[in-house]
Amino acid sequence: MHGEAYDFIISRRLWKNINLRADFSYYVMKDYTFISNFKTNETIWGRDVTTVDVNKTGLEIDISGHIIDGLGFYASFSTYDYKIKDAVNAYEKTQAKEEFSNRADYRINAGLDYTLFKNTKLLLDYKYQDDQVKKRHEGVEEYLGTWSTYEIKMDSYHLFDFAVEQKLFENFGFAKNGMVKLYINNLLDEEYEESNGYPATDRTYGIYAKFDF
């Protein structure tokens, strides 16, 4: 694949230490190649490969800073649109539309961090992804060289993670910047699928420690 990429970036301080960054992008992708279909003994690898030209338009917006002393935040939004510009025939154009329509249109990430005490911080993260359809190809064990292709519908989801971060020390012998974090991932026990279409983990509890030498 080859092509051209254009980005128009705006970066500005809105108020005090609250900053905004916006990235408008336009990519011209030539000879974008992907696996469009699996077959039996019709090609050397048992699969069809489709090559098309695609124009990708994107928008990414990030804003971050502190609302008040001790309370910080971040938020980001991204969306992308794909246009098929060149396909050999109607079949390839249809396959290309399926390839790019199977991607989530919108993604949102946001979070808050609050300094509860001098060395104690509370963290809340939020993630949203629009619904999408994931196409999967799997070999059929009973018939060597035969592939089964099916689609998995992945619903949109809202995901929250929560953590308490405690700074332990700045210097302790050879160690520096000691920190321990207690976290709960998927706080509301949301049912959703990860990027490969498999069910994601339920509410998860854990502890994480870090220090430098």
Side-chain angles (χ1 to χ4, degrees), residues 140-194:
V140 181
E141 295 183 1
E142 294 82 359
Y143 304 99
L144 185 63
T146 301
W147 295 85
S148 176
T149 301
Y150 58 95
E151 293 181 342
I152 301 175
K153 186 178 184 301
M154 301 166 60
D155 294 330
S156 61
Y157 62 84
H158 303 267
L159 189 65
F160 289 89
D161 298 330
F162 176 74
V164 179
E165 183 178 290
Q166 178 67 44
K167 183 178 180 180
L168 300 177
F169 56 81
E170 291 185 0
N171 294 283
F172 186 79
F174 294 104
K176 297 181 180 180
N177 303 320
M179 180 270 289
V180 64
K181 180 187 291 186
L182 304 176
Y183 64 85
I184 306 175
N185 290 339
N186 194 1
L187 181 65
L188 301 182
D189 205 19
E190 178 88 355
E191 293 184 5
Y192 71 103
E193 293 81 26
E194 45 91 0

Side-chain angles (χ1 to χ4, degrees), residues 69-83:
D69 290 342
L71 179 59
F73 79 100
Y74 73 90
S76 64
F77 167 83
S78 63
T79 181
Y80 300 95
D81 182 59
Y82 299 85
K83 299 294 184 183

Side-chain angles (χ1 to χ4, degrees), residues 44-104:
I44 188 172
W45 298 112
R47 61 190 182 189
D48 285 345
V49 176
T50 296
T51 300
V52 294
D53 293 343
V54 182
N55 288 355
K56 174 185 173 182
T57 305
L59 171 63
E60 298 179 8
I61 299 176
D62 299 282
I63 184 171
S64 62
H66 282 80
I67 302 171
I68 58 175
D69 290 342
L71 179 59
F73 79 100
Y74 73 90
S76 64
F77 167 83
S78 63
T79 181
Y80 300 95
D81 182 59
Y82 299 85
K83 299 294 184 183
I84 313 303
K85 302 302 294 183
D86 186 27
V88 174
N89 51 49
Y91 171 77
E92 289 195 348
K93 190 170 185 178
T94 299
Q95 295 298 313
K97 285 183 177 180
E98 290 183 359
E99 167 75 8
F100 293 106
S101 65
N102 288 348
R103 308 186 182 194

Side-chain angles (χ1 to χ4, degrees), residues 129-147:
Q129 178 173 298
D130 196 15
D131 56 4
Q132 67 178 113
V133 177
K134 184 74 175 182
K135 181 180 290 187
R136 292 185 58 192
H137 309 280
E138 289 187 355
V140 181
E141 295 183 1
E142 294 82 359
Y143 304 99
L144 185 63
T146 301
W147 295 85

